[in-house]
Amino acid sequence: MSNNTVLFVLLDDYADWEAGSLAAALNEEPEGKGQRFNVKTVSLTTNPIQSIGGFTVLPDYGLTDAPKDFVGLMLIGGNSWRKKDSKQVMKLVDKALEKRVVLGAICDATVFLGNNGILNNIRHTSNHLEDLKEAAGENYSNEAGYLHQQAVRSGQIITANGSAFLEFGKQVLEALNAAPQAEIDEWYRFFKQGYHENMNTNQ
C-alpha cells in the first residue's frame, strides 16, 4: 500500500463518536479493490488517553514522532482543545496546510482552528458562532464566512459541529476521493436514515 496515511488527532477526553465511523470507512476496501488508507492515531504523547465515553486508547504516535507524510489530518473534538497544551498540535496543522492535504476539524477542534487564525479566510462552521467568537477572541475575524450548516468544505479544509459526524465523514471521504461517489452516498444514507428506511429507499 502506498503512503496514504490519515492521522486522527485524539486528545484526552476526546469525543469518541466523532472518530469511529469515519475511521472505519477509511479502513474499508472500496469495491473490494484493497485497502487504500492507513488510519493512525496521534496525541500529545504516546501515553494512554481516555475518551469522553471511557474508552482508553494507546496512540500510535506522539507529536514528536508523528509521520511526516500523510494525506489527511483529522482533529477530533473533545474537551481538551481549549487547553494550553493543545497549541502543540499546530505543528501538524501547519504541515497539513503546507502540504495542502485534507484537514478536518469537528466540534471543539473547530474552535482550536479559529483560535489559531485558520478560519479567517475560508468558509467554515463550528458548534455555535457566538461561542467561537468568544473563545477565539481577536484571533477570529471571519464571522461573514461562518455558515450555519452541519459541515462545510472549503478547499481542503472541512469543519463540522459535534452532531455532524456523518456529514463530516462524507465530506472527508469525498475530499480524499476515498471511494466511488455512489459508495460514499450509500454509506452516508445507510447510517443517516437507518437500515430499514435505507433498504426501502433502495427497493
Side-chain angles (χ1 to χ4, degrees):
M1 181 172 58
S2 61
N3 182 19
N4 279 331
T5 298
V6 179
L7 299 177
F8 279 62
V9 179
L10 309 178
L11 302 184
D12 202 38
D13 223 16
Y14 75 93
D16 31 19
W17 64 92
E18 296 171 359
S21 57
L22 173 58
L26 289 170
N27 268 329
E28 289 182 355
E29 300 181 8
E31 295 186 337
K33 294 182 179 179
Q35 185 175 345
R36 293 185 53 201
F37 295 96
N38 185 28
V39 173
K40 294 294 182 182
T41 55
V42 181
S43 194
L44 301 182
T45 70
T46 54
N47 293 331
I49 58 172
Q50 193 171 71
S51 73
I52 292 174
F55 289 99
T56 299
V57 172
L58 188 65
D60 294 306
Y61 303 103
L63 290 176
T64 58
D65 63 342
K68 296 181 180 179
D69 294 320
F70 51 88
V71 296
L73 180 67
M74 304 297 115
L75 310 183
I76 302 303
N79 298 327
S80 293
W81 285 106
R82 304 189 193 200
K83 296 180 179 179
K84 185 177 180 180
D85 286 349
S86 69
K87 181 73 173 180
Q88 301 173 58
V89 179
M90 278 305 299
K91 296 176 183 178
L92 274 179
V93 172
D94 287 340
K95 187 174 295 185
L97 294 172
E98 178 185 349
K99 294 167 63 68
R100 297 183 180 180
V101 302
V102 177
L103 171 63
I106 182 170
C107 195
D108 223 39
T110 60
V111 174
F112 172 79
L113 291 187
N115 196 34
N116 285 281
I118 306 301
L119 304 180
N120 287 336
N121 297 301
I122 63 170
R123 293 176 295 110
H124 60 280
T125 194
S126 185
N127 286 334
H128 184 57
L129 175 58
E130 293 306 315
D131 178 62
L132 173 61
K133 289 166 59 178
E134 181 180 352
E138 62 182 14
N139 295 324
Y140 176 71
S141 59
N142 189 20
E143 182 177 348
Y146 187 95
L147 301 180
H148 295 273
Q149 298 177 8
Q150 287 290 85
V152 174
R153 179 180 174 186
S154 181
Q156 294 291 82
I157 302 177
I158 298 159
T159 52
N161 70 58
S163 72
F165 57 93
L166 290 176
E167 289 80 3
F168 178 70
K170 183 175 185 290
Q171 294 276 8
V172 170
L173 292 174
E174 290 174 346
L176 288 169
N177 193 25
Q181 187 64 47
E183 284 194 26
I184 296 175
D185 291 341
E186 182 180 2
W187 173 86
Y188 176 75
R189 287 195 306 269
F190 182 85
F191 290 105
K192 189 68 174 180
Q193 296 178 344
Y195 175 80
H196 296 289
E197 184 174 342
N198 182 65
M199 291 298 291
N200 290 334
T201 301
N202 290 332
Q203 288 179 355

